[in-house]
Amino acid sequence: MMNFIIRRLLYAVPMLVLVSFLSFVIINLPPGDYLTTMRQQLQSQAGLTPEEAREITERMAARYGLDRPFMVQYWEWVKGIVTRGDFGYSFQHNRPVSEVIWQRLAWTLIIATTCHVISVGIGVVVGIFSATHKYSFLDNFFTVLAFLGVSVPNFFVALVIMYYLAFHVKTHVGGLFSPQYVLAPWSWAKFVDFLKHFWVPIFVVGLAGTAQNMRVMRGNLLDVLNSQYVETARAKGLPERTVIYKHAVRNAIQPIIMYMGMAMPFLIQGEVIASIVLNLPTIGPMFHHALINQDMYLAGSFLMMIAVVLILGNLLADILLAWMDPRVRYE
């Protein structure tokens, strides 16, 4: 297993180089850049003449190396990441990219991890129940809910919840805190207010994942329960609980474990549209605005973060899969 981990980490190096280059190319494909947009804003909003706006943007381009050739810009960006941990400068936020990302990363991890744990836990438990009570009333009920959870867009669910809370419950909607607690120090009242807001993004973002995990677990377990080794275990007189949880579930849950590695980037990214609707301080909306404003270093660093998380997620999923199923070997 250790040899496999080392090989995978070595394979990740050229993959990250390729991803960083493609990310930098894609971000620079649209015509113009952030300084072009800034020049237009200086002329229209600040009332500067075209010559004055061009002079300001040219000084910024020379300061941050945007007047250099494309490959030189890419090399300076990668060299800064490797040697100094410098991901570049965010023109939109007027701050280093690392400060902008880390500022929102904590809330992103809290929301994403909570959603993932709840979606996997509830989805697996409900899927096992539905498979072992096939075609019962509760099985049909959970199946309908799963189809609705997968098919209904999460931003629509967010809008419905916000409408109900705003016009029926008469409470503040959006964000993670009420206005009076946003800048207030942590206290018990602020924590209670946080819980009142926290369940909304957890429900909205985790709904689709819970429904998908439930459907996958139910389908896989139904196939495994008809296998010969399960029938043999029952014929030996083993208790039904032992047959299901010790033998059947361990094989049926493997596709969910493999999917967890691919799901990790979406946990970091979050549901971008739902986060925008709910006004959440996560990375997803920031990435969306960075693409719109062509903030190249911020958007490129975000894509690099997703690639790193994807590689690490797949590695952790493979290790967990080998631990769950001793037949899986990579040497």
Side-chain angles (χ1 to χ4, degrees), residues 44 78-79 94 102 106 111 116 136 233 239 241 261 269 294 331:
S44 60
V78 174
K79 184 175 69 174
N94 197 23
W102 303 138
I111 295 175
H116 190 55
S136 64
R241 181 180 297 271
Q269 177 185 0
Q294 294 181 281
E331 284 81 12

Side-chain angles (χ1 to χ4, degrees), residues 2-23:
M2 185 57 63
N3 293 332
F4 168 75
I5 296 175
I6 295 175
R7 288 200 306 267
R8 286 289 299 271
L9 292 177
L10 293 177
Y11 294 157
V13 175
M15 180 63 67
L16 289 177
V17 174
L18 179 61
V19 169
S20 65
F21 180 76
L22 292 179
S23 301

Side-chain angles (χ1 to χ4, degrees), residues 38-297:
M38 180 181 177
R39 182 184 305 175
Q40 297 174 354
Q41 292 177 351
L42 290 175
Q43 296 179 19
S44 60
Q45 299 178 6
L48 300 181
T49 62
E51 291 76 13
E52 293 174 337
R54 182 173 61 254
E55 182 181 355
I56 293 176
T57 54
E58 287 178 353
R59 286 202 302 264
M60 290 189 63
R63 177 182 178 184
Y64 297 109
L66 300 181
D67 56 346
R68 301 178 183 178
F70 171 80
M71 291 303 300
V72 176
Q73 295 184 39
Y74 170 73
W75 169 250
E76 292 295 331
W77 179 56
V78 174
K79 184 175 69 174
I81 295 176
V82 175
T83 59
R84 304 185 304 273
D86 181 11
F87 291 86
Y89 195 81
S90 173
F91 306 107
Q92 178 187 359
H93 297 272
N94 197 23
R95 297 171 59 188
V97 170
S98 57
E99 295 182 6
V100 177
I101 291 180
W102 303 138
Q103 184 179 14
R104 291 176 172 248
L105 185 60
W107 285 120
T108 302
L109 292 176
I110 292 174
I111 295 175
T113 304
T114 306
C115 289
H116 190 55
V117 171
I118 292 178
S119 64
V120 172
I122 296 179
V124 169
V125 172
V126 175
I128 295 173
F129 178 85
S130 296
T132 54
H133 298 77
K134 186 172 61 173
Y135 301 140
S136 64
F137 171 78
L138 289 178
D139 176 34
N140 294 329
F141 175 75
F142 288 133
T143 301
V144 172
L145 289 182
F147 276 113
L148 292 176
V150 174
S151 59
V152 178
N154 52 15
F155 71 89
F156 179 76
V157 178
L159 291 174
V160 172
I161 294 177
M162 293 177 67
Y163 175 83
Y164 177 78
L165 293 177
F167 292 97
H168 294 275
V169 184
K170 304 295 183 180
T171 184
H172 177 264
V173 295
L176 295 176
F177 300 98
S178 299
Q180 64 271 24
Y181 291 108
V182 172
L183 299 178
W186 278 100
S187 61
W188 178 253
K190 183 174 182 178
F191 179 72
V192 173
D193 182 76
F194 166 72
L195 294 180
K196 292 180 180 178
H197 291 76
F198 188 60
W199 73 269
V200 178
I202 298 302
F203 180 82
V204 172
V205 178
L207 180 62
T210 303
Q212 181 177 0
N213 290 328
M214 178 263 173
R215 295 183 61 194
V216 172
M217 190 65 199
R218 179 183 183 276
N220 292 338
L221 188 56
L222 286 175
D223 292 337
V224 172
L225 289 176
N226 295 324
S227 302
Q228 294 182 354
Y229 74 90
V230 174
E231 297 297 333
T232 303
R234 286 171 174 164
K236 291 182 177 180
L238 294 178
E240 186 67 15
R241 181 180 297 271
T242 303
V243 173
I244 293 175
Y245 290 99
K246 185 177 181 179
H247 299 282
V249 170
R250 294 189 65 175
N251 288 326
I253 204 174
Q254 292 181 12
I256 295 180
I257 295 176
M258 290 185 290
Y259 175 74
M260 287 172 62
M262 299 181 61
M264 289 188 69
F266 298 99
L267 297 180
I268 299 300
Q269 177 185 0
E271 299 292 346
V272 177
I273 299 179
S275 300
I276 294 175
V277 172
L278 295 172
N279 191 26
L280 300 179
T282 56
I283 289 182
M286 181 190 65
F287 178 55
H288 177 257
H289 293 301
L291 292 177
I292 293 178
N293 296 305
Q294 294 181 281
D295 197 349
M296 47 188 271
Y297 292 121

